[in-house]
Amino acid sequence: MSNDMRRSLSGAIWKRAMPSETDVHRLATELGISPLVAACLVNRGITTPERATAFLAPDLAHIPDPQPMWNLDEAIRVLTGALSRRERVQIVGDYDCDGTTGLITLRNVLRLLGSEDDCVSYYVPDREREGYGLNPGIIERAAAAGVQVLVSVDIGITAHQEWDMARERGITGVCLDHHTALGSRVPSSAIVVCPKQAGDPYPEKDLAACGLAWQMARALLDERPNGAAILRSLTKLVAIGTYADLVPLSSLANRAIVAEGLRGLNQGSKNPGLAALMEVARLDQRVIGASDLGFRLGPRINAAGRIEGTTLSVIELFDSHTLEEARPRAQQIDAWNTERQDVQRRLVEQLEKRITDQAQDDFVYVLAGDHADGWKQGVVGIAASKVVETYHRPALVCSLRDGIAHGSGRSIPQFNLIEALQWVGSDGLFLRYGGHPAAAGFCLPVERLPELHRRLNEYARQTLTPDDLIRAYTYDGNLPLADLTVAFVESLARLEPHGIGNPAPRFVVRGRILEQRVLKDLHLKLILADDQARIEVLWWNQHGYAGQLPKHTLVEVLGRPDINVWNGNRTTQFIATDIRLA
């Protein structure tokens, strides 16, 4: 990695990836690809021709057989046995996109296997009334309803007490989760299917919960004549949950799911609910890309949980029998998404003011406000993400209600958030917590928030340096403007789908500003030229830098090449991530 400590206009530093020339030459030669595409592969950890071949051609065959996964066979025996005896089965999913799509996936397969709706029920906790995860109330209601098998999707890996309660009431528990088990100890009272549990030999550790549900569906449908076709159809939904949950798209399995799901979505959906959702997201008349999963479809599914409190309405949407029935439901979900955006915008404005007034020197921001004042429990997580994007510091944002702080945190790559929460909460600081290195949820008594703030910053000062708090962008190489052709951009498309672990290739171009315009009072448009060519540069939502970029200024622009289609013409443009004076 080559570091250039010059700061950009945004205050960031840029780091050029320096791949092994030997690896690049081998991939370019053996695969017949351009050295630049080969360099991008090596920069993403793809160094062998065999893995590169699979990476460039995602296929469901790349997903390892689920059978080696611990406890999967036992879970399948329990479910098929329950169905054959017409026992009551209940699926409980998380209220986010991953949990919801996983729940729907598993429920659809149980329906296909011949279950009746009165035998297989479902439940999604209410975010504000019940909070994250399994809770005693869910177990008690399931027992009262005569449920004999309870399956959790995307929750349950830390619910030791709840699974004990289930077993005491004669309920067999199946926990389908992809989160890291705290302290590596999984519940002993449930059949736990989680590749991340200590010692599990299954090689694919990065599947989302909906991906695990798809794998369970694969096992349930084994040897059925139409099983492969059903699984391909299910990837449309599983691709949305996979992308929305920010699991790595460097994983061959996740790449395969997202790529196959996109192929299916672009052919249209026979499910009226999904078709209506694509309509309100304005995706029914154009090619759908991976980013649309994360910025159009996923947020609408999540909005129900964030604003309504639960995604039960999303399940009802996908249960619609006709488009006429589905459209009003999709429109309601779309309205919730608009409301979520408004609530989020107002909350982020409050957070920025709080940071300016009182928290500038913190290594970790811990910010809290009353639920009644707009600090909605369903929005604090994405508001924390915005804080991390702006300030490049870990951020925990809490909604205060009835004496309890319900919090959600987001982090930077240098700071493992779940390890930090384990360290500061080792003596029982939290009522409940869990999550990933980059994102976590928690709750604790309001009066202990100052203690959380103090402990986290003490821990952060031991594990982070001031340089860690400077935003750093990594890029794949420098390019002359003349190289930014349509053919070049198309060659990079083989690296899609992009996401966590496989970012879109970024390059640095250099030139002088010939023209400058502000678009819609938000975006900055530049015409950049060097001795051989010129190109249009778009810097979204960064009109505030216009005064620092007058005509004739020599600049370096970090970003990604793109193809603009207008009136049937295809031209290249450059989407800026950052700019610095040359």
Side-chain angles (χ1 to χ4, degrees), residues 193-206:
V193 180
C194 175
K196 289 181 180 174
Q197 60 183 305
D200 194 310
Y202 190 66
E204 180 51 77
K205 306 293 186 185
D206 290 324

Side-chain angles (χ1 to χ4, degrees), residues 539-554:
W539 201 8
W540 302 120
N541 299 306
Q542 299 298 341
H543 68 284
Y545 290 111
Q548 299 178 60
L549 296 168
K551 286 177 65 174
H552 310 304
T553 303
L554 186 64

